[in-house]
C-alpha cells in the first residue's frame, strides 16, 4: 500500500490530489503541508452554511460568469470591465498565453510550474532567469530587466510573493519594473499569495494596473479562502486586455460552489481578515521551530508557505515518502521544479499543533531521533558539498544551449569542496530505516550535483526552453540604466469610475477601500 501511495508522486510535475492519496491508501488524508490553502477559512460558521446549502448547490445550474463577476467586483470595488474570472488562475494563465504571449516569455525560476510549462506547450520560447541560492533566491529586478533586454523577451512575469520561496518585492519596486518595461507586449504580476503578506499595508498594484496598457494582475481566491477545490480566481487589467480574455471564456465557466461562496463573502469579511492574522502569526512560529533543526535552512517568506533546504545528504524524495508513510504528513518536494533540486521542500503554514507533529517527523527521518541527538550535520562553512538549485540550472542551460556559464555554479556554491570532518564518536544508529543525515555522513565523498534530467524530473528538456545566468552579483535597485521615473506610455482605454461606498456597510467599513479594508488591518509580524 505504501508503494502505491508514493508511486503517485512519480507520474507528473505536480503533487497528486488529496482524493488520489486517499483512494490509494484507503485511509483519511494526511496532515497537509503541501497544498497552500488557508487553514482558517472558511470559518466553521461559513462551512456549516455551505453544508446546509449543499443539495441546492450541486442540483441547480449556476448564474452566468458575468453575474458572479459583477458581485465580486462589487465587493472589491473594481470596475467589472477590468476583471475576468476564471475556473482557477490556471484557466486564466492558459488564455493569457494563447492570446497575449507571442513568441517569448521571461520568468524567474524556481516558480509556479504553469508559468514555465504553459508557454512551452504552445511552442513559445521561455527565458528563465535563475534565482541564486547564494542570494537567498531573492529577485534583483534590475538584473532581471537586463536579462529580459538581452534575451529580447516580449512578455515578462513576476510572482509576488514567489512560489515556492515566498520572495517579495515592495509595491513601488513592482511599479518601477512595470514602467521600465512599458514597451513589452505584456507584463503579468501574479499576486496569488499576496493576501498573506504583511511587509506592506497596501502591496497590491491592482489599482495601478487598470491604468497601464500592458499589465495584468492575477489573483487567486481558492488559496486565500482555503477552497482550492472550488476553482476560482480573477485577473485585473485595463478594459481592453480584460475584455480580450473575458471574450474567450465560456459563459458558465464558474460553478455553483464558486457563485455561492462569492455571494456569501459579504457576511464573512471579519472572519476572513482574522484568518489572515492567524496565518501570519503561525508563519513566524513555524519558521522559528524549523530553524532549530540542525542543518535545516528556512528562507524568509511572505506567502503562506516556507521554502526549506534540507541538511547535507538528505534526499527530498526520500524525506517526502517517509514522512507520508511513517508519519502521515504530506510535504512538497521541489526536485521537479526548474531552478530547484531535491534538496528543497516547500512547507505550507499550518496551526502550531500540526507543526509540532511535522518537527517530530523530521527529527525522526533526518536524525533517527526525536531529541535531536542524531549525527551532526555539517554546515556549508565547513566545506561540505551540496547540490544548489542554481547550479542545476547552470548545467541545464549548458546542455540545452551548448554553452556553459563559468562562475555561476561557483558563485552559488561559494566554496571549494573539501573533506568533511569525521565525528570522533559516531552515534550508534538504527539499521532500518537509516536516518538520512547519518547515512550521508557515512558516505565516501560528497553528494553529487543533480543532472539536468533529475532537475526537471524527466529524461530530457522540452524544446523551446532557454535560460542564461544573471550577470554579476546582485546589485542595489534601481541600477544605472534603470529609469528613475516612469516612462511615458500609450494611454489605455478610459476606466469606468466606480461609485464610492459599497460593501461592507458595517462598522469598520471600507469607505471605498475594497474588501476587506486593508488599511484597517493590523498586520501581524
Amino acid at each position: 500500500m505504501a508503494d502505491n501511495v508514493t508511486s503517485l508522486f512519480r507520474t507528473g510535475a505536480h503533487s497528486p490530489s488529496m482524493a488520489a492519496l486517499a483512494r490509494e491508501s484507503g485511509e483519511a488524508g494526511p496532515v497537509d503541508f503541501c497544498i497552500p490553502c488557508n487553514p482558517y477559512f472558511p470559518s466553521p460558521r461559513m462551512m456549516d452554511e455551505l453544508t446546509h446549502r449543499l443539495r441546492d448547490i450541486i442540483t441547480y445550474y449556476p448564474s452566468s460568469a458575468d453575474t458572479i463577476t459583477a458581485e465580486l467586483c462589487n465587493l472589491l470595488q473594481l470596475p467589472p470591465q477590468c476583471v475576468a474570472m476564471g475556473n482557477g488562475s490556471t484557466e486564466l494563465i492558459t488564455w493569457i498565453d494563447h492570446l497575449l504571449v507571442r513568441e517569448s516569455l521571461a520568468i524567474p525560476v524556481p516558480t509556479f510550474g504553469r508559468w514555465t510549462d504553459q508557454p512551452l506547450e504552445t511552442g513559445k520560447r521561455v527565458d528563465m532567469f535563475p534565482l541564486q541560492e547564494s542570494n537567498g533566491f531573492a529577485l534583483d529586478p534590475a538584473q532581471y530587466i537586463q536579462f529580459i533586454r538581452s534575451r529580447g523577451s516580449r512578455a515578462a512575469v513576476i510572482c509576488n510573493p514567489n512560489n515556492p520561496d515566498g520572495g517579495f518585492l515592495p509595491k513601488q519596486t513592482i511599479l518601477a519594473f512595470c514602467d521600465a518595461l512599458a514597451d513589452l507586449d505584456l507584463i503579468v504580476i501574479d499576486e496569488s499569495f499576496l493576501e498573506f503578506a504583511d511587509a506592506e499595508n497596501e502591496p497590491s498594484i491592482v489599482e495601478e494596473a487598470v491604468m497601464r496598457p500592458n499589465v495584468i494582475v492575477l489573483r487567486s481566491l481558492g488559496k486565500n479562502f482555503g477552497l482550492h477545490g472550488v476553482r476560482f480566481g480573477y485577473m485585473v487589467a485595463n478594459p481592453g486586455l480584460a475584455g480580450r480574455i473575458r471574450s474567450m471564456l465560456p459563459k458558465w465557466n464558474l460553478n455553483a460552489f464558486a457563485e455561492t461562496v462569492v455571494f456569501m463573502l459579504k457576511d464573512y469579511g471579519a472572519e476572513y481578515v482574522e484568518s489572515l492574522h492567524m496565518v501570519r502569526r503561525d508563519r513566524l512560529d513555524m519558521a522559528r521551530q524549523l530553524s532549530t533543526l540542525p542543518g535545516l535552512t528556512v528562507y524568509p517568506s511572505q506567502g503562506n508557505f516556507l521554502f526549506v533546504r534540507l541538511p547535507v545528504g538528505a534526499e527530498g524524495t526520500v524525506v517526502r515518502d517517509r514522512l507520508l508513510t511513517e508519519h502521515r504528513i504530506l510535504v512538497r518536494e521541489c526536485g521537479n521544479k526548474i531552478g530547484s533540486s531535491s534538496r528543497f521542500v516547500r512547507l505550507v503554514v499550518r496551526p502550531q499543533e500540526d507543526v509540532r507533529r511535522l518537527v517530530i517527523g523530521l527529527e525522526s527521518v533526518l536524525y533517527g531521533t526525536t531529541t535531536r541527538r542524531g549525527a551532526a550535520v555539517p554546515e556549508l562553512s565547513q566545506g561540505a558539498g551540496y547540490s544548489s538549485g542554481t547550479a542545476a540550472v547552470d548545467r541545464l542551460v549548458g546542455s540545452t544551449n551548448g554553452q556553459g556559464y563559468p562562475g555561476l555554479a561557483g558563485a552559488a556554491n561559494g566554496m571549494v569542496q573539501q573533506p568533511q570532518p569525521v565525528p570522533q564518536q559516531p552515534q550508534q544508529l538504527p539499521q532500518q530505516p537509516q536516518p538520512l543525515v547519518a547515512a550521508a555522513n557515512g558516505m565516501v565523498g560528497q553528494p553529487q550535483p543533480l543532472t539536468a534530467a533529475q532537475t526537471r524530473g524527466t529524461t530530457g528538456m522540452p524544446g523551446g526552453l532557454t535560460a542564461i545566468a544573471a550577470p554579476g552579483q546582485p546589485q542595489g535597485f534601481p541600477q544605472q540604466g534603470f529609469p528613475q521615473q516612469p516612462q511615458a506610455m500609450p494611454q489605455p482605454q478610459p476606466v469606468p469610475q466606480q461609485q464610492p461606498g459599497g460593501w461592507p456597510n458595517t462598522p469598520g467599513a471600507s469607505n471605498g477601500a475594497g474588501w476587506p479594508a486593508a488599511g484597517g488591518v493590523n498586520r501581524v509580524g
Side-chain angles (χ1 to χ4, degrees):
M1 186 66 70
D3 290 341
N4 291 342
V5 172
T6 56
S7 68
L8 293 173
F9 293 90
R10 292 181 278 277
T11 59
H14 297 276
S15 298
S17 68
M18 194 63 69
L21 289 172
R23 285 193 297 268
E24 287 295 335
S25 67
E27 302 174 356
V31 178
D32 180 18
F33 283 90
C34 177
I35 309 302
C37 271
N38 182 344
Y40 297 113
F41 198 80
S43 64
R45 182 172 71 95
M46 183 175 176
M47 191 61 75
D48 287 343
E49 183 176 348
L50 283 170
T51 301
H52 178 73
R53 299 168 63 176
L54 178 61
R55 179 177 292 276
D56 287 345
I57 292 172
I58 64 176
T59 299
Y60 300 110
Y61 225 66
S63 300
S64 68
D66 288 344
T67 300
I68 303 171
T69 301
E71 175 65 14
L72 180 70
C73 290
N74 183 51
L75 290 173
L76 302 177
Q77 298 191 340
L78 291 170
Q81 295 90 335
C82 296
V83 176
M85 286 191 71
N87 191 268
S89 59
T90 302
E91 181 179 45
L92 297 173
I93 292 172
T94 300
W95 281 112
I96 289 170
D97 172 55
H98 278 289
L99 297 177
L100 304 176
V101 178
R102 291 194 294 171
E103 75 272 6
S104 58
L105 177 142
I107 179 74
V109 292
T111 195
F112 177 49
R114 292 312 299 166
W115 281 121
T116 55
D117 297 350
Q118 173 61 42
L120 287 171
E121 292 167 5
T122 55
K124 314 292 173 48
R125 190 185 80 232
V126 178
D127 300 328
M128 291 181 292
F129 179 77
L131 300 176
Q132 300 185 40
E133 181 187 345
S134 60
N135 195 37
F137 296 97
L139 174 62
D140 185 309
Q143 288 191 357
Y144 185 31
I145 290 172
Q146 293 175 8
F147 171 86
I148 292 167
R149 295 304 190 191
S150 68
R151 294 298 297 154
S153 311
R154 295 306 308 159
V157 178
I158 288 181
C159 295
N160 193 44
N162 190 41
N163 172 13
D165 56 273
F168 172 83
L169 293 176
K171 177 177 181 176
Q172 291 306 314
T173 301
I174 293 290
L175 291 175
F177 175 86
C178 294
D179 291 338
L181 298 173
D183 59 310
L184 294 192
D185 296 338
L186 181 68
I187 299 171
V188 180
I189 307 300
D190 188 338
E191 296 183 352
S192 291
F193 295 98
L194 195 62
E195 293 285 284
F196 301 106
D198 58 6
E200 288 184 309
N201 282 339
E202 298 286 350
S204 176
I205 68 160
V206 162
E207 292 183 4
E208 291 76 10
V210 301
M211 299 303 297
R212 283 169 163 75
N214 66 337
V215 176
I216 289 176
V217 173
L218 197 67
R219 305 276 295 193
S220 171
L221 295 174
K223 299 176 181 66
N224 303 338
F225 298 153
L227 294 168
H228 264 302
V230 173
R231 307 303 305 143
F232 56 168
Y234 66 101
M235 56 161 279
V236 182
N238 70 64
L241 288 179
R244 289 189 64 184
I245 300 297
R246 198 167 52 246
S247 68
M248 300 302 296
L249 297 172
K251 187 175 182 64
W252 287 284
N253 69 319
L254 302 174
N255 59 53
F257 265 112
E259 177 180 19
T260 302
V261 171
V262 168
F263 276 83
M264 289 173 65
L265 289 176
K266 60 181 176 292
D267 299 322
Y268 293 94
E271 286 98 326
Y272 176 63
V273 171
E274 179 61 22
S275 76
L276 298 179
H277 282 316
M278 296 168 74
V279 170
R280 297 177 191 126
R281 176 204 65 196
D282 288 350
R283 180 174 61 209
L284 292 173
D285 180 76
M286 182 172 169
R288 178 188 60 78
Q289 291 197 51
L290 291 173
S291 296
T292 65
L293 295 177
L296 217 66
T297 301
V298 182
Y299 294 91
S301 173
Q302 283 287 294
N304 62 330
F305 47 81
L306 297 172
F307 198 47
V308 174
R309 186 183 67 200
L310 297 172
V312 172
E315 170 63 34
T317 56
V318 178
V319 172
R320 176 200 65 204
D321 292 352
R322 286 187 54 190
L323 283 174
L324 181 60
T325 58
E326 298 173 18
H327 300 275
R328 301 297 298 158
I329 294 172
L330 178 63
V331 302
R332 176 58 160 100
E333 181 268 330
C334 294
N336 60 359
K337 277 187 172 290
I338 298 174
S340 180
S341 76
S342 195
R343 183 85 189 277
F344 296 89
V345 294
R346 185 192 67 197
L347 302 172
V348 172
V349 173
R350 290 194 60 84
Q352 295 178 10
E353 59 269 25
D354 292 342
V355 174
R356 286 192 289 270
R357 179 172 171 178
L358 172 67
V359 169
I360 291 172
L362 285 170
E363 289 175 332
S364 174
V365 170
L366 293 174
Y367 317 110
T369 177
T370 57
T371 57
R372 302 179 200 172
R373 295 174 183 170
V377 180
E379 297 295 333
L380 298 182
S381 60
Q382 297 174 310
Y386 70 102
S387 172
S388 108
T390 302
V393 171
D394 183 45
R395 289 187 298 278
L396 180 153
V397 171
S399 63
T400 304
N401 294 348
Q403 57 182 339
Y405 297 90
L408 177 61
N413 288 333
M415 61 189 176
V416 177
Q417 294 196 6
Q418 300 173 354
Q420 103 184 26
V422 179
Q424 294 183 355
Q425 295 181 344
Q427 182 181 358
Q428 187 67 31
L429 302 175
Q431 295 299 315
Q432 295 293 336
Q434 188 176 19
L436 300 181
V437 174
N441 289 342
M443 293 190 304
V444 177
Q446 301 297 331
Q448 296 302 308
L450 299 180
T451 65
Q454 289 171 320
T455 303
R456 178 62 177 167
T458 65
T459 56
M461 290 306 302
L465 181 151
T466 63
I468 65 173
Q473 297 300 318
Q475 301 294 325
F477 175 77
Q479 293 182 341
Q480 184 178 2
F482 188 86
Q484 300 295 322
Q485 299 296 331
Q487 298 177 346
M489 298 178 293
Q491 293 299 317
Q493 301 179 32
V495 179
Q497 296 298 314
Q498 189 76 2
Q499 295 299 318
W503 182 87
N505 293 313
T506 56
S510 65
N511 296 323
W515 180 88
V521 177
N522 295 320
R523 304 289 181 174
V524 177

